[in-house]
Amino acid sequence: KLWERRKLGPEMRHGDRVTDVEFSPDGRRLVTASWDNTARLWEVESGTLLTTPFRHKSRLWTAQFHPDGSKVVTASDDRTAQVWDIATGQPIREPFRHLGVVMEAEFSPDGRCVLSRSNEGVSCVWDLRPQQPKSMVFRRGINPSHSHIGDLVVADLSPDGELLMTGNVNGWATLWDVATGNVLASEFQGGLLAPMVLFQGEGGALHASVGSGWGAGFLWTIHRNSKAPNAIRVETEKITEVPGRSLMPSPGGQRLMALSKDRRSVVFWKVVQGREGTRPAKEEMELKHPDLVFQHSWDPTGTLVATLTADHLRIWDSLTGDLLTLMPNAVHAQRGRIAFNPVAETGLIALTLAKRTERGFERAVQLWDYRSGKLQYEIPVKATGFGALRFSPNGRFLALGFKD
């Protein structure tokens, strides 16, 4: 479903659960992926289907636009990732094949490559330029001495597309050279690794925040020598006593935040670069809550933080720790989703929720003005589960994927 401010927009229907939705870079088109074996391209304003469905032989997990908006890449249970021309609705080349289910596929930031991740422990980077071979950058069991065995759970490309970081269920985080497939660094971080984000900090320094399932997070700082590109040095700093999977960098890369061990506070670190290297410096400020925090998120500017508990949505000043707005929603929100409007001036935030009633859960989408704390509208949704929640880049539209 699609909403423009208070107006309920067109319904863009599939034959089964919608697993992913994404707006094009210009905000004029929307691509949706579904378990009905198709991805579909829609015009946002009218809800018109623009091409024949992008069809696979089995259900789809993700669909993503190319940075220039001309292509879409899809990931499917049929063990392939496919790139489609949105002008014709046809594939632009043979599919990228894996031995297992392809759980995710995305374009590199510069649009030259596709990164695909499958459930048999393989991540691949495929070069889209003519006559360029694919580069296999991670394969389960490729390095038994480092125990690179087990399903791959996360992968992320550096902003320049030259490095790939992967993590598997056994707790190994690995840094790869995309061009050669060589292992540049590998460390055991413990437990299930998710999330993992490669990001640039102050001065263009490259970092990685690594979440571990062992009650800790890690900050990697990656030093590259311009005269010897393969000479990679990695500093690792452990962030203890936090649920590692809650660790996330700010939009500008200067800070990290995570939930406290008891999940009733949000805590912060500043990424400090000094003579002795880069380290996460714990800040004294904490965002304390009377009950469990289920979701937390930075706003697009990194100056605000949203937290979601079982019955309240809160907006905080991330620099001072002041509670700016308290929005009671009286819902069971453990699996709720929150999304800030990318146009900060609108002051809008969306969330999905499930109200507990005598008949069970009644699901809905709410849009709040977090400056005034007023509910702008609530739209009931006859859904058994929610998928992606996305704002368009211009902030005008809000899209939700779900199963009804």
Side-chain angles (χ1 to χ4, degrees):
K1 283 186 182 293
L2 195 71
W3 293 271
E4 181 181 8
R5 296 178 184 169
R6 290 181 178 270
K7 176 185 175 184
L8 182 63
E11 184 175 84
M12 302 169 181
R13 179 163 288 276
H14 281 263
D16 206 329
R17 179 191 295 267
V18 176
T19 54
D20 199 14
V21 297
E22 184 175 283
F23 286 95
S24 61
D26 63 9
R28 295 168 52 199
R29 300 177 180 88
L30 186 80
V31 65
T32 55
S34 171
W35 281 2
D36 69 359
N37 301 356
T38 71
R40 306 189 185 209
L41 184 70
W42 313 85
E43 183 183 66
V44 169
E45 292 278 359
S46 65
T48 303
L49 190 63
L50 294 175
T51 67
T52 57
F54 306 142
R55 188 171 296 278
H56 281 257
K57 295 179 181 178
S58 189
R59 60 188 182 180
L60 274 71
W61 291 103
T62 65
Q64 190 197 68
F65 277 98
H66 188 275
D68 68 8
S70 66
K71 295 178 279 292
V72 165
V73 63
T74 52
S76 172
D77 267 11
D78 66 8
R79 304 182 179 183
T80 69
Q82 182 64 271
V83 179
W84 308 83
D85 185 330
I86 69 167
T88 65
Q90 299 300 310
I92 67 170
R93 58 184 300 164
E94 289 296 309
F96 303 134
R97 300 187 184 278
H98 283 257
L99 297 177
V101 171
V102 182
M103 302 300 299
E104 188 175 19
E106 61 181 309
F107 292 102
S108 61
D110 60 11
R112 292 187 299 116
C113 302
V114 166
L115 168 65
S116 57
R117 175 178 66 83
S118 68
N119 71 347
E120 95 280 12
V122 171
S123 181
C124 296
V125 174
W126 314 81
D127 200 315
L128 292 178
R129 293 171 295 180
Q131 318 257 323
Q132 293 291 327
K134 65 162 181 157
S135 176
M136 182 78 73
V137 294
F138 178 83
R139 179 180 290 280
R140 182 171 62 180
I142 192 171
N143 194 339
S145 65
H146 286 167
S147 298
H148 289 301
I149 300 172
D151 287 347
L152 184 71
V153 295
V154 66
D156 194 33
L157 281 166
S158 61
D160 60 13
E162 294 181 0
L163 301 176
L164 175 72
M165 198 166 185
T166 61
N168 69 3
V169 294
N170 288 344
W172 279 93
T174 305
L175 188 69
W176 309 79
D177 184 304
V178 168
T180 65
N182 293 334
V183 176
L184 302 177
S186 186
E187 292 194 25
F188 181 68
Q189 311 282 227
L192 185 68
L193 291 172
M196 178 183 290
V197 181
L198 279 164
F199 64 96
Q200 283 187 305
E202 291 183 339
L206 184 63
H207 304 289
S209 66
V210 183
S212 166
W214 282 10
F218 299 85
L219 174 67
W220 283 25
T221 300
I222 301 158
H223 301 274
R224 289 186 280 186
N225 188 331
S226 59
K227 295 181 180 180
N230 289 331
I232 299 288
R233 181 170 63 87
V234 176
E235 297 176 38
T236 304
E237 292 285 341
K238 189 174 183 178
I239 300 172
T240 59
E241 296 185 357
V242 299
R245 298 184 69 183
S246 70
L247 187 68
M248 61 178 66
S250 65
Q254 294 90 1
R255 302 171 74 202
L256 299 167
M257 77 170 172
L259 297 181
S260 60
K261 191 173 183 178
D262 65 2
R263 295 183 177 268
R264 293 177 183 268
S265 296
V266 176
V267 291
F268 297 86
W269 294 263
K270 184 173 177 59
V271 179
V272 177
Q273 300 182 56
R275 293 181 180 179
E276 299 180 357
T278 303
R279 61 183 179 85
K282 180 76 178 293
E283 299 179 10
E284 293 184 4
M285 180 185 71
E286 292 187 16
L287 310 181
K288 296 183 178 181
H289 297 71
D291 43 15
L292 296 178
V293 178
F294 295 121
Q295 299 285 339
H296 59 300
S297 177
W298 296 97
D299 86 316
T301 67
T303 59
L304 301 176
V305 168
T307 58
L308 191 60
T309 61
D311 56 2
H312 287 86
L313 174 65
R314 293 171 172 86
I315 304 296
W316 308 79
D317 186 312
S318 73
L319 301 177
T320 66
D322 293 336
L323 178 61
L324 302 179
T325 317
L326 179 66
M327 292 162 277
N329 46 46
V331 299
H332 176 77
Q334 184 169 356
R335 296 188 178 181
R337 297 176 183 270
I338 53 179
F340 277 98
N341 192 309
V343 181
E345 292 77 10
T346 64
L348 296 176
I349 187 170
L351 71 149
T352 59
L353 51 89
K355 294 182 177 180
R356 191 187 297 271
T357 69
E358 294 179 354
R359 295 170 294 180
F361 289 112
E362 293 182 356
R363 291 174 169 83
V365 175
Q366 290 181 341
L367 192 71
W368 292 82
D369 183 328
Y370 57 75
R371 296 166 299 188
S372 65
K374 293 182 178 180
L375 179 65
Q376 299 299 294
Y377 63 78
E378 178 177 314
I379 303 292
V381 180
K382 293 182 179 180
T384 57
F386 290 121
L389 181 69
R390 301 275 192 274
F391 276 101
S392 61
N394 60 13
R396 283 183 57 200
F397 294 94
L398 175 68
L400 170 70
F402 61 92
K403 181 179 181 181
D404 59 11

